[in-house]
Amino acid sequence: DAGVTQSPTHLIKTRGQQVTLRCSPKSGHDTVSWYQQALGQGPQFIFQYYEEEERQRGNFPDRFSGHQFPNYSSELNVNALLLGDSALYLCASSTGTGSYNEQFFGPGTRLTVL
Amino acid sequence: GNSVTQMEGPVTLSEEAFLTINCTYTATGYPSLFWYVQYPGEGLQLLLKATKADDKGSNKGFEATYRKETTSFHLEKGSVQVSDSAVYFCALLNPSGTYKYIFGTGTRLKVLA
């Protein structure tokens, strides 16, 4: 049973560019959450997708957007990249029903903005 | 609002020493509590969890007890190994209308042979 997978593993961009990160959830999961983990910090919630819609959003600007596909996979898009966007981006999947939606994390995509 | 506070690191111990990493939380309702571990260059792995007061989560020799009266979820291990060197994150998940984890800032553990 494959767990959560993310691509690419590493990415280098320059300021002002746009980037797309991809995530495939664990089998049987229908909900995808994205987190940003800056160096030396804990992960910060960006947003969560369920039934192809953004269900909740953290304190991130509109430059951060996402999408969920019918097969439950998801993309995170970041426009107009800033140096401060350099971080490990983690995807987590879970099931949409139930209160205690334990989330399973992927290995992350490390984004470096130069 | 919801928040998690962890003890500052790094924590440096000799092999076979006793480990405690403190974690306290602030939350409305009755959150689930988690400890995640992150090895260098990797993502987060769930270490253990507890979903209600007085529950004890345990895995790989690590334990943590959900203490509602002190709003704490301290991580302990009786005898650490060099392979336990990693960053440990305490987190809460509040089912009261939110869908996101709240993480602490992490505590780096270094175990010396």
Side-chain angles (χ1 to χ4, degrees), chain B residues 59-74:
Chain B
N59 185 27
K60 300 180 182 180
F62 290 90
E63 292 183 340
T65 301
Y66 188 162
R67 302 284 189 200
K68 195 172 191 311
E69 64 275 16
T70 55
T71 62
S72 65
F73 192 55
H74 304 321

Side-chain angles (χ1 to χ4, degrees), chain A:
Chain A
D1 175 29
V4 180
T5 59
Q6 292 186 241
S7 63
T9 305
H10 296 87
L11 206 50
I12 299 175
K13 293 285 188 179
T14 56
R15 281 179 296 174
Q17 285 189 312
Q18 178 264 345
V19 68
T20 298
L21 311 182
R22 296 177 176 81
C23 172
S24 292
K26 183 178 169 66
S27 178
H29 287 184
D30 57 8
T31 302
V32 173
S33 303
W34 286 93
Y35 293 79
Q36 180 195 66
Q37 185 181 10
L39 196 62
Q41 300 296 315
Q44 299 291 316
F45 177 78
I46 303 174
F47 43 54
Q48 184 179 86
Y49 276 83
Y50 173 65
E51 293 189 339
E52 301 181 49
E53 293 196 359
E54 184 182 291
R55 176 154 73 171
Q56 187 172 6
R57 188 179 184 91
N59 190 24
F60 279 80
D62 292 344
R63 298 187 297 108
F64 289 77
S65 63
H67 188 75
Q68 186 178 35
F69 299 93
N71 67 353
Y72 308 121
S73 66
S74 176
E75 289 182 349
L76 164 65
N77 300 292
V78 186
N79 293 322
L81 285 166
L82 304 174
L83 295 179
D85 295 332
S86 294
L88 180 68
Y89 288 84
L90 296 165
C91 169
S93 73
S94 57
T95 56
T97 57
S99 298
Y100 295 91
N101 295 338
E102 180 182 338
Q103 298 176 12
F104 293 77
F105 286 82
T109 293
R110 185 162 299 283
L111 172 65
T112 302
V113 182
L114 302 177

